[in-house]
Short mmCIF file of all heavy atoms in Angstrom, two decimals:
data_model
loop_
_atom_site.label_atom_id
_atom_site.label_comp_id
_atom_site.label_asym_id
_atom_site.label_seq_id
_atom_site.Cartn_x
_atom_site.Cartn_y
_atom_site.Cartn_z
N LEU A 1 -3.66 -24.81 15.40
CA LEU A 1 -3.70 -23.37 15.31
C LEU A 1 -2.34 -22.80 14.88
O LEU A 1 -1.31 -23.29 15.32
CB LEU A 1 -4.08 -22.77 16.68
CG LEU A 1 -4.14 -21.25 16.81
CD1 LEU A 1 -5.34 -20.68 16.03
CD2 LEU A 1 -4.20 -20.84 18.26
N ILE A 2 -2.39 -21.75 14.04
CA ILE A 2 -1.21 -20.93 13.77
C ILE A 2 -1.39 -19.65 14.57
O ILE A 2 -2.40 -18.96 14.44
CB ILE A 2 -1.07 -20.57 12.29
CG1 ILE A 2 -1.01 -21.84 11.41
CG2 ILE A 2 0.16 -19.71 12.05
CD1 ILE A 2 -1.13 -21.53 9.93
N HIS A 3 -0.40 -19.31 15.39
CA HIS A 3 -0.42 -18.06 16.14
C HIS A 3 0.75 -17.22 15.70
O HIS A 3 1.90 -17.47 16.10
CB HIS A 3 -0.40 -18.32 17.64
CG HIS A 3 -0.64 -17.10 18.45
ND1 HIS A 3 -0.76 -17.11 19.82
CD2 HIS A 3 -0.81 -15.79 18.09
CE1 HIS A 3 -0.99 -15.89 20.26
NE2 HIS A 3 -1.00 -15.06 19.25
N SER A 4 0.50 -16.21 14.88
CA SER A 4 1.55 -15.32 14.40
C SER A 4 1.73 -14.17 15.37
O SER A 4 0.77 -13.69 15.96
CB SER A 4 1.17 -14.77 13.03
OG SER A 4 1.06 -15.79 12.07
N HIS A 5 2.99 -13.71 15.49
CA HIS A 5 3.29 -12.60 16.39
C HIS A 5 3.93 -11.47 15.61
O HIS A 5 5.01 -11.63 15.04
CB HIS A 5 4.20 -13.09 17.52
CG HIS A 5 3.50 -13.97 18.48
ND1 HIS A 5 2.93 -13.50 19.66
CD2 HIS A 5 3.22 -15.29 18.44
CE1 HIS A 5 2.34 -14.50 20.28
NE2 HIS A 5 2.51 -15.61 19.58
N GLY A 6 3.22 -10.34 15.62
CA GLY A 6 3.66 -9.18 14.82
C GLY A 6 2.96 -9.15 13.48
O GLY A 6 2.57 -10.18 12.93
N PHE A 7 2.81 -7.93 12.96
CA PHE A 7 2.09 -7.76 11.68
C PHE A 7 2.76 -8.48 10.53
O PHE A 7 2.11 -9.10 9.70
CB PHE A 7 1.98 -6.28 11.36
CG PHE A 7 1.07 -5.51 12.30
CD1 PHE A 7 1.55 -4.44 13.02
CD2 PHE A 7 -0.25 -5.87 12.44
CE1 PHE A 7 0.71 -3.74 13.89
CE2 PHE A 7 -1.11 -5.18 13.29
CZ PHE A 7 -0.62 -4.11 14.01
N SER A 8 4.10 -8.42 10.46
CA SER A 8 4.81 -9.03 9.33
C SER A 8 4.57 -10.54 9.28
O SER A 8 4.21 -11.08 8.22
CB SER A 8 6.32 -8.75 9.44
OG SER A 8 6.59 -7.38 9.37
N ALA A 9 4.77 -11.21 10.39
CA ALA A 9 4.57 -12.65 10.42
C ALA A 9 3.11 -12.99 10.14
O ALA A 9 2.82 -13.95 9.40
CB ALA A 9 4.98 -13.20 11.79
N GLY A 10 2.21 -12.22 10.70
CA GLY A 10 0.79 -12.48 10.50
C GLY A 10 0.38 -12.39 9.03
O GLY A 10 -0.32 -13.26 8.50
N LEU A 11 0.84 -11.36 8.35
CA LEU A 11 0.49 -11.18 6.94
C LEU A 11 1.09 -12.26 6.07
O LEU A 11 0.45 -12.75 5.12
CB LEU A 11 0.93 -9.79 6.47
CG LEU A 11 0.22 -8.63 7.17
CD1 LEU A 11 0.91 -7.32 6.85
CD2 LEU A 11 -1.26 -8.56 6.75
N LEU A 12 2.32 -12.65 6.37
CA LEU A 12 2.98 -13.70 5.59
C LEU A 12 2.33 -15.06 5.76
O LEU A 12 2.38 -15.91 4.87
CB LEU A 12 4.46 -13.78 5.97
CG LEU A 12 5.32 -12.59 5.53
CD1 LEU A 12 6.67 -12.64 6.23
CD2 LEU A 12 5.50 -12.58 4.02
N MET A 13 1.69 -15.28 6.91
CA MET A 13 1.05 -16.55 7.18
C MET A 13 -0.36 -16.65 6.63
O MET A 13 -0.96 -17.74 6.63
CB MET A 13 1.03 -16.83 8.68
CG MET A 13 2.36 -17.23 9.27
SD MET A 13 3.01 -18.77 8.60
CE MET A 13 4.30 -18.14 7.49
N VAL A 14 -0.92 -15.55 6.13
CA VAL A 14 -2.30 -15.58 5.62
C VAL A 14 -2.47 -16.59 4.50
O VAL A 14 -3.35 -17.46 4.58
CB VAL A 14 -2.74 -14.17 5.18
CG1 VAL A 14 -4.03 -14.25 4.33
CG2 VAL A 14 -2.99 -13.29 6.40
N PRO A 15 -1.68 -16.55 3.42
CA PRO A 15 -1.85 -17.56 2.36
C PRO A 15 -1.54 -18.97 2.81
O PRO A 15 -2.17 -19.93 2.38
CB PRO A 15 -0.88 -17.10 1.25
CG PRO A 15 0.10 -16.22 1.94
CD PRO A 15 -0.63 -15.57 3.06
N VAL A 16 -0.57 -19.12 3.73
CA VAL A 16 -0.21 -20.43 4.24
C VAL A 16 -1.39 -21.04 5.01
O VAL A 16 -1.77 -22.20 4.81
CB VAL A 16 1.02 -20.35 5.17
CG1 VAL A 16 1.32 -21.70 5.79
CG2 VAL A 16 2.23 -19.85 4.38
N ALA A 17 -2.00 -20.22 5.87
CA ALA A 17 -3.15 -20.68 6.66
C ALA A 17 -4.35 -20.99 5.76
O ALA A 17 -5.06 -21.97 5.96
CB ALA A 17 -3.53 -19.63 7.70
N LYS A 18 -4.55 -20.14 4.77
CA LYS A 18 -5.72 -20.29 3.89
C LYS A 18 -5.65 -21.62 3.11
O LYS A 18 -6.63 -22.36 3.05
CB LYS A 18 -5.78 -19.12 2.89
CG LYS A 18 -6.91 -19.24 1.88
CD LYS A 18 -7.00 -18.01 1.00
CE LYS A 18 -8.00 -18.20 -0.11
NZ LYS A 18 -9.37 -18.49 0.39
N TYR A 19 -4.48 -21.92 2.57
CA TYR A 19 -4.37 -23.12 1.71
C TYR A 19 -4.13 -24.39 2.47
O TYR A 19 -4.31 -25.49 1.93
CB TYR A 19 -3.32 -22.88 0.64
CG TYR A 19 -3.76 -21.86 -0.39
CD1 TYR A 19 -3.24 -20.58 -0.40
CD2 TYR A 19 -4.76 -22.19 -1.32
CE1 TYR A 19 -3.68 -19.64 -1.33
CE2 TYR A 19 -5.20 -21.26 -2.24
CZ TYR A 19 -4.67 -19.98 -2.24
OH TYR A 19 -5.12 -19.06 -3.15
N THR A 20 -3.72 -24.31 3.74
CA THR A 20 -3.59 -25.51 4.56
C THR A 20 -4.83 -25.70 5.45
O THR A 20 -4.94 -26.70 6.13
CB THR A 20 -2.34 -25.47 5.44
OG1 THR A 20 -2.37 -24.28 6.26
CG2 THR A 20 -1.07 -25.47 4.59
N LYS A 21 -5.70 -24.68 5.43
CA LYS A 21 -6.97 -24.72 6.17
C LYS A 21 -6.75 -24.88 7.69
O LYS A 21 -7.49 -25.58 8.38
CB LYS A 21 -7.87 -25.84 5.65
CG LYS A 21 -8.34 -25.62 4.20
CD LYS A 21 -9.23 -26.74 3.73
CE LYS A 21 -9.92 -26.45 2.41
NZ LYS A 21 -9.18 -25.67 1.44
N VAL A 22 -5.71 -24.22 8.20
CA VAL A 22 -5.46 -24.21 9.64
C VAL A 22 -5.90 -22.85 10.20
O VAL A 22 -5.55 -21.82 9.64
CB VAL A 22 -3.97 -24.43 9.93
CG1 VAL A 22 -3.69 -24.36 11.44
CG2 VAL A 22 -3.49 -25.77 9.37
N PRO A 23 -6.67 -22.82 11.28
CA PRO A 23 -7.09 -21.54 11.88
C PRO A 23 -5.87 -20.67 12.20
O PRO A 23 -4.83 -21.19 12.64
CB PRO A 23 -7.84 -21.96 13.15
CG PRO A 23 -8.30 -23.36 12.85
CD PRO A 23 -7.24 -23.98 11.98
N HIS A 24 -6.04 -19.37 12.04
CA HIS A 24 -4.90 -18.45 12.15
C HIS A 24 -5.29 -17.21 12.95
O HIS A 24 -6.26 -16.53 12.63
CB HIS A 24 -4.44 -18.03 10.74
CG HIS A 24 -3.31 -17.06 10.72
ND1 HIS A 24 -3.20 -16.08 9.76
CD2 HIS A 24 -2.25 -16.89 11.56
CE1 HIS A 24 -2.11 -15.36 9.98
NE2 HIS A 24 -1.52 -15.83 11.06
N ILE A 25 -4.51 -16.92 14.00
CA ILE A 25 -4.70 -15.67 14.73
C ILE A 25 -3.37 -14.93 14.77
O ILE A 25 -2.30 -15.52 14.61
CB ILE A 25 -5.22 -15.90 16.18
CG1 ILE A 25 -4.14 -16.55 17.04
CG2 ILE A 25 -6.48 -16.74 16.17
CD1 ILE A 25 -4.52 -16.64 18.51
N VAL A 26 -3.46 -13.62 14.94
CA VAL A 26 -2.24 -12.80 15.03
C VAL A 26 -2.33 -11.93 16.28
O VAL A 26 -3.38 -11.38 16.60
CB VAL A 26 -2.04 -11.93 13.78
CG1 VAL A 26 -3.19 -10.97 13.57
CG2 VAL A 26 -0.71 -11.17 13.84
N THR A 27 -1.24 -11.84 17.02
CA THR A 27 -1.12 -10.86 18.10
C THR A 27 -0.30 -9.71 17.56
O THR A 27 0.81 -9.90 17.04
CB THR A 27 -0.43 -11.48 19.33
OG1 THR A 27 -1.26 -12.53 19.83
CG2 THR A 27 -0.22 -10.45 20.43
N THR A 28 -0.82 -8.50 17.68
CA THR A 28 -0.24 -7.35 16.97
C THR A 28 1.09 -6.87 17.54
O THR A 28 2.02 -6.61 16.79
CB THR A 28 -1.25 -6.19 16.93
OG1 THR A 28 -1.62 -5.83 18.27
CG2 THR A 28 -2.50 -6.63 16.17
N HIS A 29 1.19 -6.64 18.83
CA HIS A 29 2.44 -6.19 19.48
C HIS A 29 2.90 -4.79 19.07
O HIS A 29 3.96 -4.34 19.50
CB HIS A 29 3.59 -7.17 19.22
CG HIS A 29 3.40 -8.51 19.86
ND1 HIS A 29 3.50 -8.72 21.22
CD2 HIS A 29 3.11 -9.71 19.31
CE1 HIS A 29 3.30 -10.01 21.49
NE2 HIS A 29 3.06 -10.63 20.35
N ASP A 30 2.17 -4.10 18.22
CA ASP A 30 2.63 -2.80 17.72
C ASP A 30 1.43 -1.97 17.29
O ASP A 30 0.30 -2.44 17.32
CB ASP A 30 3.59 -3.01 16.53
CG ASP A 30 4.61 -1.88 16.39
OD1 ASP A 30 4.36 -0.80 16.99
OD2 ASP A 30 5.62 -2.06 15.70
N VAL A 31 1.66 -0.76 16.84
CA VAL A 31 0.61 0.13 16.36
C VAL A 31 0.98 0.74 15.04
O VAL A 31 2.14 0.71 14.63
CB VAL A 31 0.32 1.26 17.40
CG1 VAL A 31 -0.23 0.69 18.69
CG2 VAL A 31 1.58 2.08 17.65
N PHE A 32 -0.02 1.27 14.35
CA PHE A 32 0.21 1.94 13.09
C PHE A 32 0.28 3.45 13.29
O PHE A 32 -0.27 4.00 14.22
CB PHE A 32 -0.93 1.62 12.12
CG PHE A 32 -0.93 0.19 11.66
CD1 PHE A 32 -1.84 -0.73 12.17
CD2 PHE A 32 -0.04 -0.24 10.69
CE1 PHE A 32 -1.85 -2.06 11.75
CE2 PHE A 32 -0.03 -1.56 10.25
CZ PHE A 32 -0.94 -2.46 10.78
N GLN A 33 0.97 4.12 12.34
CA GLN A 33 1.09 5.58 12.34
C GLN A 33 0.83 6.11 10.94
O GLN A 33 0.94 5.35 9.95
CB GLN A 33 2.49 6.00 12.80
CG GLN A 33 2.86 5.51 14.21
CD GLN A 33 4.25 5.93 14.59
OE1 GLN A 33 4.50 7.04 15.02
NE2 GLN A 33 5.21 5.01 14.44
#
């Protein structure tokens, strides 16, 4: 598993997770405005 923390890390890991075929979750830790 890849567990990204924060939106920035999560978004950057999307292509990495997709092409290595490793499950990916993100914990947000923040909100949008």
